[in-house]
Amino acid sequence: GKGKRRKGKGKRRKGKGKRRKAKAEAAPGMCQHERGEPHFWDEAAFLSTSPSSKDMKRYYSGWSHCRDEEALFEKSPNYFIQPWAPRRLCEVLGRPKLVHLLRNPIDRAYSAYYQGRKWGKQTRTPRDFDLVARMEVALVKKCPAGALRSEHASGAEINSKKGSSYRSCCKRIAKHFRQDPYKVCMCKPRTDRNYHCDPTSGSHSFFYLVRTGMYAHHLRLWFKYHRVRDMLILRSEDFFARMPEGLGEISCFLQPEDRTCLAEGLDSTKQNSATDGHRSMWKRTRRHLMDFYKTYNQELEALLGRKMSWW
């Protein structure tokens, strides 16, 4: 039954839009959630409590079309930055298999900026991205107490004080960069199933583009609740350059250790970039972000024990 299936939680950091999207049905022994990105574990309802049996029934219903022997997987990139997701996955699933695809953080941020529907009346041009990117860098440097999403401290009073201090600092920075302080600093979930917000820090996903690429910070929380052997961490550039082999590697990783698998020969399809049809990022913006990310990329390389070689 469902309880005996091997759970695989595939996570893909959003690259150039969905440059290439693997056909789930092409990977032997794997079955994808019917919603693709169900955004379950990052729902606001699970900030302070684990999913109930009713919640889990709703989640598993997305795999009702799968065979018992198949490994179940889904890919909700936002799990990576939602601070309660690592703990909730550990509490309920125990030892799920986790796949993280990490892309050049500058390219990832610019692509994410053009993805999805418009956030309010926010325009999307290289100039506007430059403002948002510089604002985020300023938030990290001048409002460090709450600029990065992190696991919530126990006690409502502690979280309240931390949130209040950060929001005051954030509002000053947002106004300086001609952004709406409410949208940048005061995000509140509209429903329990909303996943765009971190209610404590007030950061909306749209204004967390640059900070998402501070990968070492977010990975440390995943390492706190999950064993290294249960995580597969790949460079997005390597995966998409050899997608059939990459899919084979992931397929084998998700399978039980006593089951044989095929590591090559899988099919794949391509999709266009989210930045297609848009102007290129300003060179000065890219230089600014390269300087900003230098230290954080070094932290990531030290954490993983390998070079990422993004530039």
Side-chain angles (χ1 to χ4, degrees), residues 54-103:
K54 182 178 180 180
D55 292 324
M56 292 306 298
K57 184 177 181 179
R58 166 169 61 90
Y59 182 53
Y60 280 127
S61 67
W63 285 295
S64 60
H65 61 288
C66 302
R67 296 190 297 271
D68 286 347
E69 67 273 14
E70 291 179 312
L72 311 182
F73 83 99
E74 55 116 317
K75 54 180 188 66
S76 298
N78 196 62
Y79 293 166
F80 185 74
I81 61 172
Q82 201 69 304
W84 57 85
R87 180 175 178 178
R88 300 302 173 224
L89 275 160
C90 175
E91 290 174 338
V92 180
L93 298 184
R95 289 182 52 195
K97 292 295 186 73
L98 305 162
V99 180
H100 299 288
L101 299 192
L102 306 180
R103 186 187 178 192

Side-chain angles (χ1 to χ4, degrees), residues 8-240:
K9 316 303 302 168
K11 293 185 195 3
R12 179 176 63 82
R13 300 313 305 153
K14 291 189 176 180
K16 269 193 171 182
K18 296 179 180 177
R19 296 182 300 174
R20 301 179 178 182
K21 180 180 179 182
K23 287 184 177 180
E25 65 271 19
M30 296 172 62
C31 186
Q32 185 174 4
H33 194 283
E34 64 182 9
R35 290 175 57 193
E37 299 181 8
H39 288 288
F40 177 79
W41 300 99
D42 51 358
E43 290 181 2
F46 306 139
L47 183 154
S48 56
T49 185
S50 293
S52 65
S53 57
K54 182 178 180 180
D55 292 324
M56 292 306 298
K57 184 177 181 179
R58 166 169 61 90
Y59 182 53
Y60 280 127
S61 67
W63 285 295
S64 60
H65 61 288
C66 302
R67 296 190 297 271
D68 286 347
E69 67 273 14
E70 291 179 312
L72 311 182
F73 83 99
E74 55 116 317
K75 54 180 188 66
S76 298
N78 196 62
Y79 293 166
F80 185 74
I81 61 172
Q82 201 69 304
W84 57 85
R87 180 175 178 178
R88 300 302 173 224
L89 275 160
C90 175
E91 290 174 338
V92 180
L93 298 184
R95 289 182 52 195
K97 292 295 186 73
L98 305 162
V99 180
H100 299 288
L101 299 192
L102 306 180
R103 186 187 178 192
N104 179 321
I106 299 176
D107 295 336
R108 193 219 64 82
Y110 198 55
S111 178
Y113 186 70
Y114 285 103
Q115 281 182 328
R117 293 176 293 182
K118 289 186 180 295
W119 169 239
K121 296 181 179 180
Q122 182 75 28
T123 57
R124 303 196 183 190
T125 66
R127 179 179 182 278
D128 293 307
F129 176 76
D130 181 77
L131 280 174
V132 171
R134 289 176 184 275
M135 177 192 70
E136 283 203 61
V137 170
L139 286 173
V140 173
K141 293 182 176 180
K142 298 182 179 181
C143 311
L148 294 177
R149 295 185 178 187
S150 57
E151 192 169 24
H152 304 141
S154 58
E157 184 178 352
I158 296 175
N159 285 323
S160 177
K161 288 182 178 179
K162 176 182 176 182
S164 177
S165 174
Y166 169 70
R167 283 191 290 272
S168 295
C169 181
C170 179
K171 288 178 181 178
R172 293 194 298 270
I173 299 297
K175 290 179 180 178
H176 176 76
F177 286 92
R178 303 197 297 275
Q179 302 296 320
D180 185 338
Y182 181 82
K183 291 180 179 179
V184 176
C185 314
M186 301 289 289
C187 184
K188 183 178 181 181
R190 294 189 299 273
T191 69
D192 284 344
R193 294 189 183 182
N194 182 279
Y195 59 85
H196 292 295
C197 290
D198 174 358
T200 300
S201 70
S203 60
H204 187 283
S205 296
F206 182 81
F207 292 105
Y208 203 80
L209 304 175
V210 172
R211 287 169 285 178
T212 292
M214 298 170 67
Y215 297 134
H217 168 80
H218 300 294
L219 276 174
R220 288 191 183 98
L221 190 53
W222 287 96
F223 287 146
K224 177 179 178 180
Y225 289 103
H226 300 273
R227 302 194 315 175
V228 174
R229 65 178 297 181
D230 292 326
M231 287 190 276
L232 179 63
I233 302 173
L234 305 172
R235 282 195 349 141
S236 286
E237 293 81 0
D238 296 335
F239 175 79
F240 288 115

